[in-house]
Amino acid sequence: MKTFLLQFFTWWNSQTLGTRFHTWRFGKRVGEDEAGNVYYEGGIDSEGRTRRWVIYRDYSEASKIPPGWHGWIHHRVDAAPSSEGYKPREWQKPHQANSTGTPSAYRPKGSILTNQHRPQVTGDYDAWTPGS
């Protein structure tokens, strides 16, 4: 019952009821990535191409799509990674969650949000004044 209510009232939890119905009616399962996201295709979009979509395992976050599937879902390649034995290149990094707003977010040196002591002002700065 909880899953039904989440699909009915939220769009960020996996899929909505509309997406579930569309997937049941038109979707053909193409594959699944290592994070558990499931990829589908079926129907025709407004440009005449096959419509492609992803059902996220948990929260919907577009950056969770790996590079190989990203190319497929955006019609950059025709063959899905699951059908061609896709191997990521050595320069492709695994997914990292967006840590903005969390304690693990990047904070540059001197930021007031770090737990480090802010360096003292050295006095080598002259403020601008009009007419000088």
Side-chain angles (χ1 to χ4, degrees), residues 28-32 41 52 68-69 72 77-87:
K28 179 186 126 205
R29 185 182 169 127
V30 176
E32 185 174 335
E41 68 180 353
R52 297 173 178 173
W69 284 105
W72 176 82
V77 294
D78 293 329
S82 62
S83 65
E84 66 179 20
Y86 173 80
K87 300 238 186 299

Side-chain angles (χ1 to χ4, degrees), residues 1 6 40 45 60 63-64 86 95 101 106-107 110 114 119 125:
M1 185 66 169
L6 285 175
Y40 294 91
D45 66 6
S60 299
S63 69
K64 288 184 178 180
Y86 173 80
H95 174 262
Y106 171 73
R107 293 181 172 87
T114 62
Y125 171 78

